[in-house]
Amino acid sequence: MHRPTALGGAFTALATAAAGVLVAAAVSTTPAAAAVGGTGTGYLHTNGNKIVDSTGATVRLTGINWFGMETDNKTFHGLWSSNPWRGQLDTMARLGYNTLRVPWSDDAVKPGATASGINDFVNPDLVGLSPLQILDKVVDYAGSKGMRIILDRHRPTSAGQSPLWYTSTVSEATWIADWKMMAQRYANNPTVIGADLHNEPHAEGTNPAATGACWGCGDTARDWRLAAERAGNAILGVQPNWLIFVEGVSCPSGGLSNVWDGDTSNDEDCGWWGGNLSKAGQFPVRLNVANRLVYSPHEYATSVYHQAWFDDPTYPANMPAIWDRYWGYLYKQNIAPIMMGEFGTTLQDPKDKVWLQNLLAYTGSGVNGMSFTYWSWNPNSGDTGGIANDDWTTINQAKQDIISPYLIPPVGGGTNPSPTTGPTGSPTPTPTPTGSSSPTPTPPVPSGACTASYKQVNAWAGGFQGELTVKNTGTGAVNPWSVTWAWPSGVTLASGWNATVTQSGSTVTAAAPDWAKSLAAGASVTIGFTANGAASAPATVKLNGTSC
C-alpha cells in the first residue's frame, strides 16, 4: 500500500519552483498502437525505455493491484465475497487490465502458512490450500487469459510496512532467500514476469540522524539502491529472465527534514514513499544481467495526502515538471522503462479527477506509453477505494472511464471473437467497449441466431457452480442483450457475475451489465453463477427471447 511522504519545507519550495516551469509535454507515443492487444510472447526484457517481448515487440503493461496476500489473511482479499476468484479475474481481463501486481509478505510464504477469509461455499476449490497454492491457481488462470503477473514483496511481515527492506525479525538474508524461492517456484512459467523487490522504501528519523532508506548515500545498511542490486542479482542468478522492478525512496537522505530548526535552506526534496527516483540517474541500479531493470515509482492524489503541489495556483499545469523531476526523466532520457506500480484515488475531491486524468495523459497513450498497475482492484483500500465496488462484482465506472483509454487488453482475456479455454475448461467472455451512454435497444435476434453451451465448474453438498456461454450467431449486434433460462423447482440462484443475474420463480435472467451492453455478431458472453440445490444445467436458454 502507500503512505504520505515526509513533511518539510521542500514541498512548498518544489511546488513554487514548478509553477515557473513550462508544462512538459506528454510522452511521445504512437496512438494507433492502442489497438494492439496483449502482453507479448515469452519472457520480457528492456530496450532503452521500452519493455519488449522475446520477439522484440514493444509491450505496455496496463495492470491492477489485487492485494491481501501481504495481510493477516495471507491471500487475496475478496475471496470472502459472493464472486468467485475466477469471476474477479474474468472482470479484470475483460476491462482491459493485462497485468496483475500481487503484494505478499514473508509471513505468507513461510512453511505452514495458512490462508483465511475464504468463502468456501463460493470457492470450494481453494479449501485447504496454502497461500502459495492459491497463488499458483491465480497465476495459471491469469496466464490462460493472457495476463502477466508481477510479484511484489510488500512487507516483511503482515503487521505493516517498513522503511527498510529488513527488520529486527526479518533479515536481509531472509528477504533474499524468499525471493529466490519465489523465482525458482515460477522459473518455467512466463506468466510471472518479475519481482518488485520491496514496497515503498522510505525515510525515518530526523536528519542528520537518519535511519530510513536512502538512495546513493553508500551506507550498505540503508542504501536502497545497493540493496536492490544485491537482491536483484540474487534473483537473476536463479531466474535470469525476470524483470527487476525497483521503486524509489521518499527522501534521498533517508531522513526527515528537521522542521523545528527554522532553517529551510537545506530541507530536502522529498516525494511519496517509493516515489522519489530523482537520484537514480546519478546512482543507477546495476544488475548483472543486461536489460532487466524497470524503475517503478508510486504516485498518489489528495485522498492519500494533501501535498503542497495540489495547492499551487497553476495546478495541474505544475504536475508534469514534478513528475519529470522524480521519475519521468528516466523514461524521457531513454535511461530505463517506467512501470508506475501504484497510483490511485477515491475521486472524492474534484482535484483528484483532474490529477488522474493528467497523470494518465502524462504516461502517454498506446503501446509506447509508460506501464502501470492501478491501486487497486480492492474496494477495501481505505484511502483510495477500488475499481471493484463493495460487492467485489460491479465496478466503479467513474474511475474505469478515466483509465480505460490507456488500457491494452490481454489477448485471451476476452479480446477474441470466440471464447478461449482456460485450464478449467471455462470459456472466457468477449468484451465490448465500455461507455456511459445508454444504447438504443435492438429487437430480438432472428430465430436460430444463437447457440448455448454449459459447463459445471464445481459441485458440493447443497450447491454447485456453473458457466453458461451464449454466442450471438446472427448478423448484427444484440444491444442490450439479455439471456434467460429455466431451472427445476428447488434450484435457487446464490450469486452471478459477468451480468446482472436475477431469478423469478424458475426463470433466471442475466441482463447485460453497463460496461458490456452490446453483444456483437459472432461474439460470446459467459455468465458465471453459483446456485443452491441439486446441480442442474440451464434449460430453455434464450437470447433476447429467441431460443438457442
Side-chain angles (χ1 to χ4, degrees):
M1 295 184 184
H2 40 268
R3 293 292 186 274
T5 184
L7 300 178
F11 298 142
T12 303
L14 174 59
T16 303
V21 179
L22 290 176
V23 175
V27 175
S28 177
T29 62
T30 307
V36 178
T39 52
T41 302
Y43 283 105
L44 308 181
H45 58 281
T46 69
N47 182 9
N49 65 1
K50 306 296 184 192
I51 297 174
V52 297
D53 72 359
S54 60
T55 72
T58 300
V59 169
R60 185 182 191 182
L61 306 176
T62 61
I64 196 164
N65 287 267
W66 189 7
F67 69 78
M69 196 174 172
E70 83 285 14
T71 71
D72 287 338
N73 295 104
K74 300 182 179 64
T75 192
F76 300 90
H77 283 180
L79 300 184
W80 55 68
S81 74
S82 61
N83 190 1
W85 66 273
R86 286 189 182 89
Q88 300 194 48
L89 285 170
D90 287 343
T91 302
M92 295 178 209
R94 183 177 55 253
L95 292 174
Y97 297 101
N98 64 31
T99 301
L100 189 66
R101 181 174 178 261
V102 179
W104 57 276
S105 78
D106 296 77
D107 281 350
V109 302
K110 289 180 178 178
T114 58
S116 63
I118 299 173
N119 185 334
D120 294 349
F121 180 76
V122 172
N123 297 299
D125 54 331
L126 303 184
V127 173
L129 299 186
S130 70
L132 282 173
Q133 288 171 329
I134 294 173
L135 178 60
D136 291 343
K137 292 178 75 71
V138 168
V139 167
D140 287 345
Y141 190 63
S144 77
K145 307 184 79 61
M147 298 176 74
R148 301 286 193 151
I149 301 284
I150 297 170
L151 299 176
D152 155 44
R153 194 278 202 148
H154 210 72
R155 303 172 175 175
T157 72
S158 58
Q161 291 175 243
S162 59
L164 300 171
W165 53 97
Y166 63 92
T167 67
S168 59
T169 59
V170 181
S171 67
E172 176 176 308
T174 298
W175 171 55
I176 292 177
D178 285 345
W179 262 128
K180 290 171 69 175
M181 178 275 294
M182 296 291 265
Q184 289 167 339
R185 188 179 188 91
Y186 299 109
N188 297 312
N189 189 340
T191 295
V192 183
I193 57 171
D196 189 336
L197 298 177
H198 175 64
N199 190 67
E200 296 182 348
H202 58 273
E204 193 168 76
T206 302
N207 283 328
T211 59
C214 63
W215 191 291
C217 69
D219 182 347
T220 56
R222 296 195 303 112
D223 194 329
W224 169 235
R225 173 244 195 169
L226 297 179
E229 292 175 351
R230 295 192 294 272
N233 286 326
I235 292 168
L236 292 172
V238 173
Q239 169 49 299
N241 293 310
W242 267 14
L243 295 174
I244 302 299
F245 296 88
V246 180
E247 300 182 27
V249 293
S250 57
C251 305
S253 71
L256 309 179
S257 298
N258 187 345
V259 297
W260 308 110
D261 63 6
D263 180 8
T264 61
S265 62
N266 295 318
D267 283 353
E268 189 176 10
D269 181 9
C270 298
W272 296 107
W273 285 11
N276 191 334
L277 287 157
S278 60
K279 296 291 187 181
Q282 181 182 357
F283 300 104
V285 172
R286 300 156 297 183
L287 298 176
N288 294 336
V289 181
N291 303 319
R292 296 295 184 270
L293 174 64
V294 178
Y295 288 113
S296 187
H298 292 186
E299 190 72 29
Y300 279 103
T302 57
S303 58
V304 174
Y305 182 75
H306 193 91
Q307 303 277 22
W309 49 71
F310 295 124
D311 294 325
D312 189 285
T314 67
Y315 179 82
N318 61 318
M319 294 308 299
I322 293 170
W323 296 326
D324 283 350
R325 182 183 184 93
Y326 284 137
W327 45 269
Y329 75 97
L330 295 164
Y331 191 96
K332 291 185 175 182
Q333 295 177 23
N334 203 38
I335 295 171
I338 288 292
M339 200 292 291
M340 190 164 47
E342 292 183 18
F343 64 107
T345 167
T346 60
L347 287 186
Q348 295 302 305
D349 189 310
K351 287 186 177 182
D352 283 18
K353 181 177 181 180
V354 173
W355 168 86
L356 184 57
Q357 290 170 330
N358 279 266
L359 177 60
L360 285 165
Y362 178 83
T363 69
S365 61
V367 75
N368 289 315
M370 300 181 198
S371 293
F372 59 79
T373 49
Y374 184 80
W375 187 277
S376 63
W377 170 249
N378 304 51
N380 61 326
S381 177
D383 43 14
T384 65
I387 294 298
N389 289 324
D390 289 343
D391 60 4
W392 295 86
T393 303
T394 59
I395 65 165
N396 184 314
Q397 196 63 51
K399 294 181 184 179
Q400 182 63 25
D401 284 346
I402 297 173
I403 302 168
S404 184
Y406 300 90
L407 299 177
I408 309 292
V411 171
T415 60
N416 299 321
S418 59
T420 58
T421 301
T424 62
S426 54
T428 301
T430 299
T432 50
T434 59
S436 57
S437 59
S438 299
T440 302
T442 57
V445 292
S447 177
C450 61
T451 59
S453 61
Y454 173 68
K455 178 175 180 60
Q456 181 175 302
V457 177
N458 282 299
W460 53 91
F464 63 101
Q465 177 182 339
E467 293 178 338
L468 174 65
T469 299
V470 175
K471 182 175 183 178
N472 175 13
T473 58
T475 57
V478 183
N479 188 358
W481 59 265
S482 178
V483 172
T484 59
W485 69 85
W487 268 333
S489 177
V491 178
T492 58
L493 177 72
S495 66
W497 55 96
N498 296 347
T500 302
V501 188
T502 57
Q503 183 173 2
S504 178
S506 62
T507 300
V508 181
T509 300
D514 290 340
W515 37 262
K517 289 281 191 183
S518 180
L519 187 61
S524 301
V525 61
T526 297
I527 302 147
F529 58 79
T530 58
N532 305 313
S536 306
T540 322
V541 178
K542 297 180 179 180
L543 175 61
N544 284 33
T546 298
S547 297
C548 299

